[in-house]
Amino acid sequence: MRRTFHTVAAGVVCSAALTALTAVPAQARASAQTQAPAQTQGHRAPHWELKDTGASGVRFRGLSAVGRDTAWVAGTKGTVLRTTDGGTNWRNVSPPGAGELEFRDIEAFDARRAVVLAIGEGEASRVYRTDDGGATWTESFRNTDPKAFYDCLTFFDHRHGLAMSDPVDGRFRILSTADGGRSWKVLPSDGMPAALDGEAGFAASGQCLVASGPSDVWLATGGGARARVLHSGDRGRTWTAADTPIPAGDPAKGVFALAFRDRTHGLAVGGDYRPGQTSPRAAARTADGGRTWQPAAEPPPAYRSGAAWLPHSRTTALAVGPTGTDVTADGGRTWRTVDTGSYDTVDCASGPTCWAAGEQGRVARLER
């Protein structure tokens, strides 16, 4: 009980500090992004603290935060790194022979067990699992359909999970596991709505497919005439689709990441990933499980590829992208930029602890 109290209390402190940070004037925020962390209402303002991964040539779009000490990242050149000391040291635990693969998602259950997804057409899409901290890996799935291209994976618990592919024969394809990623099967597509012309998922942050609770899962799309979120309440067997206000109509536009704090309240972020392109209405929120979506009154100022709720908070969340980090303190209604560093993905764990990762081997932990 004491541990639970301290965990919740720490979450309240961190959430309160982030909430206060969003109220700091813009000039003070800009200063805080490049100088020493500011003091906010007696607390050290939360800030990203970069951790040296020694992998400057790798872009990490896959991230799994286990806790304050343990995190896994996955990225280009078949690279998987793991830390168990808060980012002071990183162990290269990449699967042997995977140097040509693009890892875009990783889901870790603890410091020893993890499942990683490689993306790409045909046999480039693969899934690996480790039970010994990355000392050995087992390839548990290799795609043999040249029309499939897997983007993201997610887990409901330590056993049940899903992976999603871009549409095959006009419908998104769903892969299912009931043994923690040791084996996979393609689910029937008759419960999946037809895809729009040009519609696909974005393998940008490992957050185009997310789950909350024992059976609810959401899938983010873009590239079509409308940016949509698909929802399943039965672990991927049947789905419904809802339009979002995030702009689409172009292969580079749509919803790139989702975050749900429970089966009802969720966030969507995205925009246009091309550098220099504007991304109006780059965030939306739902309070009915994704049946309807409302645009943020004050969205992030640019494209965002990752999002995460702070643990134990009902209102505070983070969004990240190549041009910065934004915080919402009101459940996604308004967002404020608090850092200008480049990150592709963000993930939070109980503790509470949040991690971010991105280009040039960048990995950071949120400090307060």
Side-chain angles (χ1 to χ4, degrees), residues 229-306:
V229 173
L230 280 61
H231 169 250
S232 171
D234 55 11
R235 291 184 179 171
R237 290 186 290 274
T238 61
W239 297 78
T240 56
D243 293 344
T244 75
I246 293 178
D250 185 279
K253 296 179 180 179
V255 180
F256 282 73
L258 299 169
F260 276 78
R261 65 172 173 84
D262 53 39
R263 66 187 307 268
T264 302
H265 300 87
L267 303 170
V269 299
D272 187 328
Y273 72 77
R274 294 171 294 190
Q277 297 297 310
T278 60
S279 290
R281 305 192 307 279
R285 59 188 175 86
T286 181
D288 57 13
R291 288 190 293 273
T292 61
W293 292 85
Q294 293 75 45
E298 296 181 34
Y303 155 72
R304 295 294 182 251
S305 55

Side-chain angles (χ1 to χ4, degrees), residues 3-29:
R3 183 180 296 112
T4 300
F5 171 79
H6 285 310
T7 297
V8 174
V12 171
V13 169
C14 188
S15 177
L18 276 169
T19 301
L21 185 57
T22 64
V24 175
Q27 288 183 331
R29 287 201 305 273

Side-chain angles (χ1 to χ4, degrees), residues 5-144:
F5 171 79
H6 285 310
T7 297
V8 174
V12 171
V13 169
C14 188
S15 177
L18 276 169
T19 301
L21 185 57
T22 64
V24 175
Q27 288 183 331
R29 287 201 305 273
S31 176
Q33 292 160 12
T34 57
Q35 299 178 14
Q39 298 293 323
T40 306
Q41 293 187 351
H43 301 293
R44 189 183 187 189
H47 62 284
W48 291 121
E49 183 177 286
L50 282 169
K51 307 294 182 178
D52 184 8
T53 64
S56 60
V58 177
R59 187 164 196 163
F60 293 117
R61 294 185 183 270
L63 166 66
S64 188
V66 176
R68 181 167 178 79
D69 293 329
T70 301
W72 300 66
V73 290
T76 55
K77 304 178 182 178
T79 306
V80 178
L81 305 183
R82 182 193 65 149
T83 183
T84 56
D85 58 9
T88 301
N89 296 286
W90 293 86
R91 180 184 174 191
N92 188 331
V93 295
S94 306
E100 299 300 317
L101 299 179
E102 294 277 337
F103 289 132
R104 294 293 181 92
D105 199 354
I106 187 166
E107 302 291 332
F109 306 118
D110 50 39
R112 297 184 62 79
R113 298 175 296 166
V115 178
V116 64
L117 171 72
I119 62 107
E121 297 178 348
E123 293 191 2
S125 286
R126 306 179 194 181
V127 178
Y128 294 82
R129 178 184 165 107
T130 182
D131 290 292
D132 55 13
T136 61
W137 293 86
T138 300
E139 181 184 305
S140 58
F141 173 77
R142 181 179 296 204
N143 174 50
T144 58

Side-chain angles (χ1 to χ4, degrees), residues 207-221:
Q207 296 175 324
C208 59
L209 185 72
V210 300
S212 180
S215 59
D216 286 280
V217 59
W218 296 264
L219 188 160
T221 82

